[in-house]
Amino acid sequence: DIKSVYTQHENIKKREYEQRVIQVEKCSFTPLVYSTSGGMAPQALAFHRKIAELVAERTNKDYRDVILTMRTKLSFALLKSVLVSVRGSRGKSSQEHESPISEILFNLILDGLRG
């Protein structure tokens, strides 16, 4: 059963990271587990629903449009990661493209929602 596989992987991530996140970062931890076909574990699904709800409220967009945009971006990101892992990176060496973590933008969800 796929749900039990998702739950098993959520539990593995919790065992590995939850205590450190709580003690060091002083925050909560939600494991985000996805399949390569775009499926989500229960906690990841709840996370996406909550984020979509908050984004829809703040941007005055319809929840259905927001969740559709999020799922589309996630599907393409998963597809890209699978292709890179199977085929390998193309172009210049990845070392030439590495940026410090402080320069990486993580607002991928909101980019597609701005009018």
Side-chain angles (χ1 to χ4, degrees), residues 12-23:
I12 290 169
K13 281 191 170 195
K14 280 183 181 180
R15 274 195 304 273
E16 289 180 24
Y17 302 110
E18 188 171 42
Q19 286 304 313
R20 185 193 66 79
V21 169
I22 290 171
Q23 292 173 355

Side-chain angles (χ1 to χ4, degrees), residues 83-97:
L83 287 174
V84 168
S85 67
V86 169
R87 181 182 69 194
S89 178
R90 297 206 176 190
K92 295 182 179 181
S93 170
S94 63
Q95 292 177 348
E96 293 178 19
H97 299 290

Side-chain angles (χ1 to χ4, degrees), residues 52 55-57 59-69 113:
V55 169
E57 274 181 30
T59 60
N60 294 320
K61 304 252 185 205
D62 186 49
Y63 171 83
R64 291 174 294 181
D65 294 335
V66 173
I67 197 76
L68 177 65
T69 301
L113 298 178

Side-chain angles (χ1 to χ4, degrees), residues 9-112:
H9 284 281
E10 282 180 335
N11 291 335
I12 290 169
K13 281 191 170 195
K14 280 183 181 180
R15 274 195 304 273
E16 289 180 24
Y17 302 110
E18 188 171 42
Q19 286 304 313
R20 185 193 66 79
V21 169
I22 290 171
Q23 292 173 355
V24 176
E25 305 292 333
K26 307 284 190 236
C27 58
S28 63
F29 177 74
T30 301
L32 301 179
V33 176
Y34 305 98
S35 70
T36 56
S37 62
M40 295 184 223
Q43 289 187 24
L45 188 58
F47 169 80
H48 279 269
R49 286 179 179 160
K50 184 64 176 176
I51 294 295
E53 180 183 315
L54 293 171
V55 169
E57 274 181 30
R58 289 186 182 171
T59 60
N60 294 320
K61 304 252 185 205
D62 186 49
Y63 171 83
R64 291 174 294 181
D65 294 335
V66 173
I67 197 76
L68 177 65
T69 301
M70 287 176 56
R71 287 180 179 161
T72 301
K73 287 183 176 261
L74 176 64
S75 294
F76 278 102
L78 289 170
L79 178 61
K80 182 180 178 182
S81 69
V82 169
L83 287 174
V84 168
S85 67
V86 169
R87 181 182 69 194
S89 178
R90 297 206 176 190
K92 295 182 179 181
S93 170
S94 63
Q95 292 177 348
E96 293 178 19
H97 299 290
E98 288 184 0
S99 300
I101 192 82
S102 61
E103 292 182 16
I104 298 173
L105 299 175
F106 291 101
N107 60 344
L108 298 175
I109 296 170
L110 296 177
D111 283 348

